[in-house]
Amino acid sequence: MSPEKKQEERFTRDSLFKDKLSDIRRAEQKKTEETRKVLNAQSQLANTKTILPPEEETPTGKDRHHLLKDPKTGLYSERFIKRVLKEEVKRAKRYKNPLGLVVGTIVNLDEIAKSGGPIAKSALEVEAAKVLQECIRDVDVPGVSNDGTYIVICPETGEVGLHVIIERLLKRLNYNQKINLKTTWEPVFCFSASAFGTSLNSADFLLAGALERLNLLALETKAEMDNTAKEEKW
């Protein structure tokens, strides 16, 4: 083979190699860019507060504020609390962390409303909500349901921690009421709790378990109050 043909063949092989190498580099660059986009999207998703409502349901201005907060007490709304609870349950399952839920009610709120009217009832609920927020940690999420039941989500809190929170709430709310609640009425508070576990392994079960215990405790407390009132009459 002549030197000219050898040189031409070598030039052809070099050109093909360079073209193939360029194609490989372009493919790798494209793959790198796609990977970077995926990582950026995952990072943005991780930094986003998952407890907020979806974008299609997210209102703006005052509507959004009323969706997240109860306008009377300033506590989070029932809808928002349930969203947060679902996310906290997922987090508890993922990282094997404890999770607790505290619920409470004013047993004789209807009687106070009959005696003092709606103004007395609203004032009591507002003051109780303030004390409630003072007794919990910054990481806890306080809310109120549509029927007036107080709900507090307590991340990384087991049964012992839940009992400590309940004792603190009862001490502040059921004693020295004229000072702490700034009211002349005598409200009776009941609190119950449930901890995330084998049987209570979903947000619905966790909330239902706490509310069931609270209802039983409220009925027992109401019966004791009625018996005490009858004894005093006699």
Side-chain angles (χ1 to χ4, degrees):
M1 184 179 293
S2 64
E4 293 180 356
K5 288 185 177 180
K6 288 184 179 180
Q7 185 176 2
E8 183 179 354
E9 184 179 354
R10 188 182 302 111
F11 176 78
T12 303
R13 286 201 306 268
D14 292 344
S15 299
L16 292 174
F17 177 76
K18 289 180 181 179
D19 292 341
K20 187 174 182 180
L21 183 61
S22 299
D23 293 339
I24 293 174
R25 286 178 177 175
R26 280 196 296 268
E28 289 180 351
Q29 185 177 4
K30 184 178 180 181
K31 186 176 180 180
T32 302
E33 291 177 355
E34 291 177 352
T35 303
R36 188 183 295 112
K37 289 180 181 179
V38 172
L39 292 176
N40 290 336
Q42 290 178 347
S43 176
Q44 292 177 0
L45 182 61
N47 294 329
T48 303
K49 291 185 177 180
T50 55
I51 58 178
L52 291 177
E55 291 186 1
E56 63 270 16
E57 297 182 10
T58 303
T60 57
K62 294 183 178 180
D63 293 335
R64 183 176 182 273
H65 176 76
H66 288 303
L67 175 66
L68 302 181
K69 295 268 190 169
D70 176 64
K72 180 169 59 177
T73 62
L75 302 175
Y76 288 109
S77 65
E78 178 179 350
R79 181 180 179 184
F80 185 79
I81 281 291
K82 288 183 177 179
R83 287 180 181 274
V84 178
L85 184 58
K86 288 181 179 179
E87 295 300 325
E88 290 297 335
V89 167
K90 292 179 182 178
R91 192 172 289 108
K93 289 181 179 179
R94 186 183 306 120
Y95 299 108
K96 309 300 181 183
N97 291 333
L99 173 64
L101 190 68
V102 174
V103 293
T105 186
I106 305 175
V107 178
N108 57 341
L109 185 61
D110 292 337
E111 286 76 4
I112 293 175
K114 291 178 182 179
S115 302
I119 296 179
K121 177 183 177 182
S122 298
L124 178 59
E125 290 174 330
V126 170
E127 291 299 328
K130 290 181 181 178
V131 175
L132 176 69
Q133 295 180 83
E134 293 173 359
C135 292
I136 61 177
R137 307 166 301 175
D138 292 338
V139 296
D140 298 331
V141 185
V144 61
S145 65
N146 297 331
D147 62 357
T149 301
Y150 299 106
I151 305 173
V152 182
I153 302 173
C154 306
E156 300 187 10
T157 306
E159 293 184 0
V160 176
L162 293 175
H163 287 302
V164 171
I165 294 175
I166 289 177
E167 289 178 2
R168 189 185 305 139
L169 287 168
L170 291 175
K171 185 176 181 180
R172 287 289 306 276
L173 292 170
N174 278 345
Y175 299 99
N176 298 326
Q177 294 176 343
K178 292 184 179 181
I179 298 175
N180 293 333
L181 295 178
K182 301 177 183 178
T183 178
T184 57
W185 308 101
E186 296 182 358
V188 178
F189 291 84
C190 280
F191 289 94
S192 182
S194 61
F196 176 78
T198 304
S199 59
L200 303 177
N201 57 0
S202 71
D204 294 335
F205 287 160
L206 193 63
L207 181 58
L211 292 176
E212 184 178 358
R213 295 178 184 177
L214 178 65
N215 290 334
L216 292 175
L217 182 59
L219 290 174
E220 293 175 359
T221 304
K222 186 71 182 300
E224 292 178 1
M225 292 171 59
D226 293 340
N227 291 334
T228 302
K230 290 179 181 178
E231 292 176 359
E232 291 178 353
K233 288 182 180 180
W234 288 100

